[in-house]
Amino acid sequence: MIDVYFDGASAGNPGPSGAGIFIKKHGEVERFSLPLGELDNHEAEFHAFIAALKLCIEKGYKSVSFRTDSQLVSRAVEKEYVKNKRFAPLLQEALALVKQMDMFFILWVPSSENKTADELSKAAIIKQAKKQER
């Protein structure tokens, strides 16, 4: 089983946002920092999850345990429902990607266990800011 930690961050609400994805695969690790554009924090969390799913599918990782410190995302995926209709299209996109997995788990973890993904998401915001300065 492959463990994927993901986090979305936003510098403002909305503001420049980034996704951090940290993959543990049989003793090896992969790190990704992806700028996401202007989003609020909850949107960034969903987009980070979608990016992590797409990355795993692209790499052929089909048995994956996802970890997030976003209670909104973990609960929405578990219940296949989100109260705020603004996030419904993002949830539906994520659930369609989940169906491509052979084995899928999503677990909520405290922020202290998701530090690497958090750092990667913040690095993506910095990366985005530097591009805009050019």
Side-chain angles (χ1 to χ4, degrees), residues 73-128:
V73 172
S74 64
R75 285 183 185 156
V77 172
E78 287 171 0
K79 294 179 180 183
E80 297 186 5
Y81 172 79
V82 65
K83 196 175 196 177
N84 187 328
K85 299 301 176 203
R86 194 165 58 95
F87 304 129
L90 295 170
L91 175 60
Q92 291 310 308
E93 182 178 358
L95 292 174
L97 293 166
V98 165
K99 288 180 181 167
Q100 296 181 43
M101 298 281 173
D102 293 338
M103 189 177 290
F104 168 85
F105 298 97
I106 188 163
L107 303 167
W108 176 84
V109 295
S111 298
S112 61
E113 292 181 28
N114 205 30
K115 284 184 179 178
T116 302
D118 178 62
E119 290 167 4
L120 291 167
S121 67
K122 290 175 181 167
I125 293 170
I126 294 167
K127 192 185 302 185
Q128 182 174 310

Side-chain angles (χ1 to χ4, degrees), residues 57-68:
I57 291 166
E58 189 178 289
K59 291 178 165 288
Y61 303 161
K62 297 287 194 162
S63 295
V64 185
S65 175
F66 289 84
R67 312 273 167 72
T68 179

Side-chain angles (χ1 to χ4, degrees), residues 13 17 20-22 26 28-30 40 53 55 60 62 67 74 81 94 97 99 118 131:
N13 212 14
S17 301
I21 302 166
F22 178 63
H26 312 298
E28 297 177 18
V29 297
E30 299 173 73
D40 71 28
L53 284 162
L55 192 61
K62 297 287 194 162
R67 312 273 167 72
S74 64
Y81 172 79
L97 293 166
K99 288 180 181 167
D118 178 62
K131 276 187 179 179

